[in-house]
Amino acid sequence: DTEVTQTPKHLVMGMTNKKSLKCEQHMGHRAMYWYKQKAKKPPELMFVYSYEKLSINESVPSRFSPECPNSSLLNLHLHALQPEDSALYLCASSQILRTSALVYEQFFGPGTRLTVL
Amino acid sequence: GQSLEQPSEVTAVEGAIVQINCTYQTSGFYGLSWYQQHDGGAPTFLSYNALDGLEETGRFSSFLSRSDSYGYLLLQELQMKDSASYFCAVSRQGGKLIFGQGTELSVKP
């Protein structure tokens, strides 16, 4: 199984709603990532989890709250979002090479297209 | 700071060869990756160079010169399905990937 799955595919929410995005992989990868991608732009890294611990937070606003319940699952909890947060949210996973912290191939899920009204 | 530069658009015909260049400025460089993304799809990994030289994977090849902070992706025998956005990305410590702005490749018949 070389697939990263994400649910839901589409999400529309108001600025006062609370919702969660889910990501799952069964490749035994111990690094998982959240990216945000606007139209015609590159993916922008938000968070990195390494061995289920948050290792990188790219100064993301607190209205985005990541969670890694186990090595296969990654959640992104959303609360009080703004219309400018509308974007494609991508989850990715990768191996971690034992010799260093270097990783190189990330497997991306299909993304959740989020619209904030 | 860090920056990656690649052309915004490239157009080529079926069967041709196209090269997409990428120059970068970054600290803590580990390697250069290339990803393909079709409209509405997820980025998919194409290749990775940690050392200088050429890596070949089927119709796609990637090159890196660390001394020149430069790399390229070479696509041969272009097919219509190769029409997509191509991103170079710098790998940094901790699994951090910094993407370039992307090159939109249009393959014409």
Side-chain angles (χ1 to χ4, degrees), chain A residues 33 35 37 40-43 45 48 55-56 58 88 90 100-106 108-110 113, chain B residues 30 33 35 37 39-45 48 87 91-101 104:
Chain A
Y33 312 79
Y35 290 85
Q37 187 176 27
K40 303 292 187 187
K41 294 292 186 184
L45 183 66
V48 180
S55 58
I56 296 178
E58 290 289 279
L88 181 68
L90 293 161
S100 74
L102 172 66
V103 297
Y104 58 89
E105 178 176 356
Q106 296 187 10
F108 284 81
R113 190 160 297 281
Chain B
Y30 279 94
S33 303
Y35 284 80
Q37 187 175 28
D39 253 355
T44 55
F45 173 81
Y48 173 76
F87 295 95
S91 293
R92 300 185 65 193
Q93 188 172 14
K96 196 168 173 175
L97 266 187
I98 310 297
F99 285 85
Q101 291 299 303
E104 192 169 341

Side-chain angles (χ1 to χ4, degrees), chain A residues 46-116:
Chain A
M46 300 174 72
F47 303 104
V48 180
Y49 272 84
S50 176
Y51 296 105
E52 296 86 70
K53 292 192 189 321
L54 184 65
S55 58
I56 296 178
N57 176 341
E58 290 289 279
S59 303
V60 178
S62 60
R63 58 186 184 268
F64 294 92
S65 175
E67 179 197 17
C68 191
N70 59 54
S71 59
S72 300
L73 293 174
L74 188 66
N75 298 322
L76 186 63
H77 303 297
L78 314 173
H79 173 55
L81 294 194
Q82 304 295 311
E84 60 264 28
D85 296 322
S86 298
L88 181 68
Y89 287 84
L90 293 161
C91 171
S93 71
S94 70
Q95 293 179 346
I96 301 177
L97 296 183
R98 294 191 186 281
T99 55
S100 74
L102 172 66
V103 297
Y104 58 89
E105 178 176 356
Q106 296 187 10
F107 292 79
F108 284 81
T112 293
R113 190 160 297 281
L114 174 68
T115 303
V116 182

